[in-house]
Amino acid sequence: MNSQTRVSRRGRLISGVAMMSISIAALAATPVSPPRAWTLQDIAAAPEVVDLLISEDGKQATYIIRRGDLATNAKLSSLRRVDLATGVDRELKSSSWLSELRIIPGSTDLSVLADIGEGVQLYRIDGTGRFEAVLVNRDLDQVGSAMEGLHPFGISDYGWAPDGKSYWYAKRTSKAADARTVNPRFLPLFTAYGSSPIELHIRGADGRDVMLDRIDATAAGFYAVEWGADASSLTYWARASDHESFEHRRWSRKQSKAEVVGRESDFYAPRHDIPGPRGGSLTTTGFGNDRKLIETLRDGSVIERGRVAFRLGDPRASQNWRSPEGDVALIGIRYYENPRYGLVRVTRSGGVDEVRVEGSLTHCSVNRAFTAGVCIRESMVSPPELVRLNPRKGNVTSVVDLSPSHSAIAPLRIVPRMWTNRDGYKASGYVVYPRNHEATRKYPAILVTHGGDADQRFASVEFQWDYPVQAWAERGYIVIAMNEPAMSDSAELTAAYAQWGGSGSLPLERVQDLIWINTVRSFEAAVEDLAAQGVVDAGRVGIAGYSAGSQMVNVAMTQSKMFRVASSGDGGYLEPSGYFSNSSSYRAVYGGSPYDRAAVPRYERLSPTFRAARAAGPMLQQVAGGHSTQFELNAALRDAGVPTELVYYPDESHLFHQPRNRLTAMQENIDWFDFWLLGKEDSDPAKAEQYGRWRAMREKWSAGR
Amino acid sequence: MNSQTRVSRRGRLISGVAMMSISIAALAATPVSPPRAWTLQDIAAAPEVVDLLISEDGKQATYIIRRGDLATNAKLSSLRRVDLATGVDRELKSSSWLSELRIIPGSTDLSVLADIGEGVQLYRIDGTGRFEAVLVNRDLDQVGSAMEGLHPFGISDYGWAPDGKSYWYAKRTSKAADARTVNPRFLPLFTAYGSSPIELHIRGADGRDVMLDRIDATAAGFYAVEWGADASSLTYWARASDHESFEHRRWSRKQSKAEVVGRESDFYAPRHDIPGPRGGSLTTTGFGNDRKLIETLRDGSVIERGRVAFRLGDPRASQNWRSPEGDVALIGIRYYENPRYGLVRVTRSGGVDEVRVEGSLTHCSVNRAFTAGVCIRESMVSPPELVRLNPRKGNVTSVVDLSPSHSAIAPLRIVPRMWTNRDGYKASGYVVYPRNHEATRKYPAILVTHGGDADQRFASVEFQWDYPVQAWAERGYIVIAMNEPAMSDSAELTAAYAQWGGSGSLPLERVQDLIWINTVRSFEAAVEDLAAQGVVDAGRVGIAGYSAGSQMVNVAMTQSKMFRVASSGDGGYLEPSGYFSNSSSYRAVYGGSPYDRAAVPRYERLSPTFRAARAAGPMLQQVAGGHSTQFELNAALRDAGVPTELVYYPDESHLFHQPRNRLTAMQENIDWFDFWLLGKEDSDPAKAEQYGRWRAMREKWSAGR
C-alpha cells in the first residue's frame, strides 16, 4: 500500500449492515495511534468533498476532495478513484483546481474542469486516469467566488448533450473588449468574481461553435443549464440585465438568440423539480413536525404520503433519482430535528423508507440502471467516509475513510437540541461539550451561528468559518452551534422572509421582529436553558458568526445583554449604507434610505450602527470585504466608546481560502474570547501590541460604565 | 538618425536666447507635414516626464519619459540620454517601470528603480548606459498607487548616503508573514496600494543590512527620507500607527530603533525648507497679488524681498538649489495669474529675477557646481521640450523636442483668465477655444475642474483625467479649464481649509460656504462672464471633474442651476458614508455622522446625496474605486428620478493607467455631453443599447419636470 492508496480503518457509525471484510482487514493491518485532540491545523486542513460519481457498472467511484494545504497556503484538490470491491483508493491527479466531474454520455469516460498548468480547462479522463484536453481557451481570466480565491479560468462551466458529443460551455471573454460595467449592482463584491463578461456557447458534434448568450461579469454565471431531449435546444437561467430578477431563457437551433420563457424574483432562485414514483413531482407541505410529503401528478391531482420529519430540495442535501422503471424515487432530504442530510426511498406502492445511518449522507451518486450508488457519510464529529449504497434496498456499507488524519482525533461529544423561545418559535442546534467535561462545573460558552448551517457535516467551514469550534471545546468552552428559527418551519416566518425577499403586507416592524429579534430570542432561550441546567456560566457567554451569522451577532449585541463579547465575520447587512447597493431588500426592512427622515426610526430600531451605543460588549470584526457597512459599524462603536477592532484580511474571499489566514483568524478569536470572557492573555511577546490595545480599550470601557 | 534618436524641430516659445544651430539644421532636414488636429489617441499617449538629471560636467542630461502605449494597453517608460551640445537623444532602456533616477554621489554613474524582468529593483547605470543590479529583492509584492496599476515591486524607494556607498531602501515584506491589517483607516483604497507591510532598511558600505522601521501597508510609505551629514543618521516621516498624523522619526547608528522627533497633522504633510541666499529659508507671506517674498535667517530675523506674483513650495514646481558659494538661490515657483511653473534667481544682493520663458519650466536639474542646468519646458498647448538652463544667468536654450508626434498638432488657442465671483473671491482658469472659432457665434461649453491643476502643463492627466479637453475643442465646444479659489490666495480660505484639515473656530456652515459654495459661485461667475460676452451659450453648459473636481461637480449640480449635465470622476468625498472611513475630516464639515440627528441638517445643506432631488441635470459617474459614496449618490439620484449612470472600470487606478480604458472613458464623455447638451447621438450600431438607456432616462426626466 503506497501513500496514494488508503482503505478504511473505521467501523464506527455503520448501521443496518455488516461491516465489510476489507475494512476489518485494513483495521487489523494498520498501526493505531491513541486518539488525539483537535488542533487549529486540523480545522484548516479539514476535507471537503467536491464531486462524487459512480461508474455505470457500479464497480468504481471517482471523487474530488479538496483541503487546505498549509505548506502552499492554498487549497489542494485531489481526483481519486476507488475500487468499490476492494476499497483501494488511488489518486489520479492532484491540482490547484478540480471541479465539475461528469460522466460523458454513452461512454465510460469522465470529464472534469481542471487546472493542470494552463488555467482551468475542460478535460476528458479515460479508464486509466489519463487526461486529454476537450476544450482549451487560452484567453484566461482571473475568477474567484465567495468561497475561493482567484484562479485563472479558461472554461468555467459545461454540460454534455445526451449524444455525448455536443456540449455547452461558459467562458469569460477577453478583458480587452470592454471591461466597463455600466450600472453594476454589487460593486464591492465585483473584483472577487472576475471582471469580464461571461459567454454561453454550444460546441456541436461537428466542432462548430455558436455563442448563445452573453451577460456581464457581475451576473456571475448561467444557472440550471439543461439540454432538451436532444442537442437542438437548451434552457437556462441568468440574471436579467436590470439585475433585479432571474430570467429563464430558451435557445433552440432554429433561433439565433435565446428567448425569455420565464422570470422569477431574486428570492425564488432557479429550482429543479423532484421526481416522484407516480411520474409527478414531490414536495412537502406544512411546517416543522406537521410536514407532509405529497406528490403532485401531471394532471394536478395530489397524492399524500403522510407526515415526515424532513424536508426536500435543500441544496446541501443529495440529488434525487428515479428508477428506470419509474417505480422508486430516491430523494435527498434534510431532517428537521438534529439537522442532518439523508435519503428516502419513495415507492409507487406508498412506501417512504429512510436510508438509515448515523450522521449524514451527502454527495450521493446512483448509476442509471439504479443498481449501485455511493455516498459520503459524515457527521459533525466523524470525518467523511465513502460508502456504497444499494438504491433498491436502501442499505449502506462502508468502503473507505477519506481523511485518516481526522479519524485519528477522538470525537468530541455533541448533543443535538431544540430550543423554544419566549414567542414559541423553535430553533435547532448542538451543544458541543468540552473535552473531559465535568457535569458539576459551569463552563464559559460561545454561541456560534450561521443561518441553518449548524448540522451534521464535518467541521464545515460554511458553518464555523474561522471560529475554532473544536479547539474551543478542547480549551474548556461549551460551544452552542445554533441555527436560527427556520423559515421553512413556520408559516409566519415564511411570510416574513417572502416579504423581505419580494412582497408582502406585514408592517416592517413585524418583519424586523420575526426575522431578527425572534432569532436573538432563540439565542437567549438556548443560553438561559443551559445556564438553568448548570452547564453554562451565564456571566461568561460570547457569540460569533459570519455573513448571515454576523448580521445576527450584530443585532444580538445591540438588542440583548446576554452576550459579553462578540466576533462578527465579514458581514454588514442591516448596516445603513448597505441600502445603496441593495436598496430593494433594505426597503423591505426599513422602508427607505437611512438619509430619509421617515425611515430613520426603523433604522434606529434595528440597525446595529444606529444602536452602537447600546452594545452589550466588545465586538471584533474580521473582514475580507472591506465594505462601508463594516466600517460604519466600527466607527459607530468607536464613537460610542465600545471596545472594537476591525481586522482586514487582504486577498481573501468571503470564506477565507488561504489556510494560513484561517489559522491567524482562528487564533485571533481564541485570544479575543479568552481575553474578554476569562481575562486570559497569551504570553507570546509578539502579541504585546495586541494586548496593549485591548487593555486600553478595557480600561476605557470599564471607566465609562 | 535611427528611430531611437531625435532632435528638436521646434523653435517656438524660446525667449531671451538665439535658437541653437542644431535645431535649425534638424528643422531643415525633417519633412514637415501640415499641422493636424487632436485625436483621443493623442491624449491617451501624451508624454509625462518622470525624472530628469544633468551630469555633473554639464554635458549630458538623462531623463525618464512615460506615455500610454495603446498597443500593449499599458504605460511604457523610456530612459534616454541627451548630448546637450548636439541634441542627440538616445534611448538607454525601455521598460514597464522606470523611476527614481539618482546620481550616485562621488561617481558619474546613475542609479534607478527599474523592472527589467525581475520586478522593480535597484540598478546602477554606467556611462555607456549598461545596467548592473545593486539590490534585488525576489520577495515581490504587487504594488499600485492612485496613478498606476499594480506592478511587482522588490524595492520601492531608496536614497544614497553622501559616501555614495551606503543607502537606505524601502521594500514590502512577504505576505506570508502576517497579511492582516488591524484597524486600517483607508480600506477601500487599500488593495490598490499593495498588501504587505513596508520596511525601511539601511545597507552599509560593508554590505551589512539593518532594518530601521516597519509600517503597515495602508501607511503607503516613508516620506522625505534624509541622511544626516554622514551615513550615521537618517530622518524621515511616516504615518503614525493611529493613522491620524505624521511622525518625524530619527534613527542613528547608536540606536537600535528610530525615535519620534516631531509630529504633524495630516493637513500639514512633510515639507522641506527652501534655501535662501543669506543662509536662511525662503517663503512668501500674504495672499494673491499682495504676496511678499521673505527670507527668514537662522537668528529669526526676516529680510523682505518685495512683492511677487508667485508662490514657493508647490509640489508641481521645480526643486530649489543654492550655489556652492551660497550667493544665489534658484527657486521653483508657481505664478498666481496664468498659473504656470517657473524659476526665480534670488541673489544675496537683493535681486529676484525670473527666468523668462513662455509656458512652464518643470523637472529642472542643476549640477553641484551650479554651472549647468536642464529643465522641461511645456505649456497647455506645447508638448514637453528639453532646454538648457544657465543657473547663474538665468537664460534658457532649446535642446530637443520630447514628443514630435504631439508637436505635429496645430496648437489650440487658449486665453488665461481670472474671474471674481459675487463674494469677491478670485479664481484662475483658461478658455480653450474651438478650432476655427468664430467670434460671432455662441458655443456650447464644458467647464473642467480639478482643484488648482488648470495650469500650463501639457495635456496633464492630473487636470483633465478622462475629459477630452482638446477633442472637445476640436468638436466645437468652448472648454473652461478652471481652478477653484486657491486657499493660498486668501487668508479667509486658508483659515477655512486649516479648520477642515485640523482645527479652527468658524461655524461649520461657514466652512461649507467658503470651500464648496464659494467655488460653485466662481464657476457661475466664469460662465456668466463668457455668456455675457456672447462667447458661450448659457443654456448649453456642462461640467466635469474627477476626485476633488468630482466633489465640486456634485456640489455644483445640487446647488446651482447653471449646468445642464455633468460628468463626475471617481470621487465621493462629501457623500455621507465617507464619514465612516474619514470621520475626523467629515466632522469638520458636518459635525458628526449622517446618522446623528444633530448633524443631519448640515448634510442636508451640502451633501449631494442628501440633495439629489435638487440636481439640475443628468450626472454620469465613471469610477475605478467602487466606494459606497459613489453608490449612494447613484442610488439617491435614481430614487429622485434624475438621469444618472455609474460606470465601473475594473482593475483601474484613481487616474486610469490603461490607455484603452482612457479612450473608452473619453469617448463616453463625448457621447454623454453630445447627447444631453446637443441632442446628438453617435450612429455606431454598437451604441444602440447606450442610447436606449439614455433616451428612456430623458423621457422620464422630461415628463417629471
Side-chain angles (χ1 to χ4, degrees), chain B residues 620-667:
Chain B
L620 169 66
Q621 289 189 79
Q622 298 170 310
V623 308
H627 299 184
S628 59
T629 52
Q630 298 161 348
F631 256 107
E632 63 191 354
L633 177 60
N634 177 256
L637 289 166
R638 279 192 285 111
D639 284 357
V642 179
T644 192
E645 197 138 282
L646 187 151
V647 184
Y648 176 61
Y649 285 80
D651 305 326
E652 266 300 354
S653 35
H654 185 48
L655 280 160
F656 288 11
H657 64 274
Q658 296 180 44
R660 285 185 215 148
N661 278 344
R662 291 200 65 202
L663 282 189
T664 307
M666 287 193 284
Q667 187 60 52

Side-chain angles (χ1 to χ4, degrees), chain A residues 158-294:
Chain A
Y158 74 99
W160 293 102
D163 65 6
K165 294 191 171 62
S166 317
Y167 54 94
W168 65 265
Y169 67 95
K171 67 171 184 179
R172 301 271 166 170
T173 60
S174 167
K175 290 188 190 192
D178 188 355
R180 298 178 309 162
T181 308
V182 177
N183 301 327
R185 195 179 175 203
F186 296 113
L187 204 49
L189 299 175
F190 182 77
T191 46
Y193 292 151
S195 53
S196 303
I198 308 158
E199 293 178 354
L200 180 64
H201 288 246
I202 283 183
R203 180 67 59 107
D206 56 3
R208 281 183 54 198
D209 196 287
V210 183
M211 189 182 89
L212 269 55
D213 208 336
R214 181 176 171 162
I215 52 175
D216 77 50
T218 53
F222 299 95
Y223 304 93
V225 186
E226 277 176 15
W227 287 98
D230 55 28
S232 71
S233 73
L234 196 75
T235 56
Y236 56 94
W237 291 85
R239 235 179 221 295
S241 57
D242 65 2
H243 281 245
E244 297 288 335
S245 58
F246 280 96
E247 287 177 354
H248 199 195
R249 299 178 189 167
R250 183 178 185 281
W251 170 90
S252 75
R253 205 166 282 284
K254 290 167 234 144
Q255 298 159 264
S256 65
K257 222 184 151 212
E259 59 178 351
V260 176
V261 294
R263 186 182 291 272
E264 288 279 19
S265 83
D266 265 21
F267 187 65
Y268 297 99
R271 286 168 302 180
H272 291 278
D273 270 358
I274 297 170
R278 304 287 286 261
S281 158
L282 289 169
T283 183
T284 56
T285 59
F287 298 96
N289 282 327
D290 293 327
R291 245 188 221 98
K292 282 175 188 162
L293 181 66
I294 60 169

Side-chain angles (χ1 to χ4, degrees), chain A residues 273-354:
Chain A
D273 270 358
I274 297 170
R278 304 287 286 261
S281 158
L282 289 169
T283 183
T284 56
T285 59
F287 298 96
N289 282 327
D290 293 327
R291 245 188 221 98
K292 282 175 188 162
L293 181 66
I294 60 169
E295 182 169 1
T296 307
L297 303 186
R298 298 214 175 157
D299 62 7
S301 61
V302 166
I303 301 175
E304 281 212 12
R305 299 288 191 162
R307 197 165 282 188
V308 293
F310 53 78
R311 62 190 171 82
L312 314 184
D314 191 290
R316 295 159 290 195
S318 245
Q319 289 181 59
N320 312 295
W321 297 267
R322 186 155 45 192
S323 62
E325 303 77 18
D327 59 333
V328 182
L330 193 60
I331 307 298
I333 59 166
R334 173 178 159 115
Y335 288 91
Y336 173 45
E337 300 191 344
N338 181 5
R340 59 197 181 87
Y341 304 97
L343 290 171
V344 288
R345 292 171 58 258
V346 186
T347 60
R348 195 174 288 168
S349 54
V352 179
D353 305 319
E354 300 174 34

Side-chain angles (χ1 to χ4, degrees), chain A residues 102-126:
Chain A
R102 308 270 160 80
I103 292 173
I104 301 177
S107 136
T108 55
D109 288 356
L110 303 181
S111 58
V112 72
L113 295 182
D115 185 347
I116 56 172
E118 302 194 282
V120 177
Q121 309 289 1
L122 176 57
Y123 296 92
R124 170 185 284 262
I125 311 164
D126 70 13

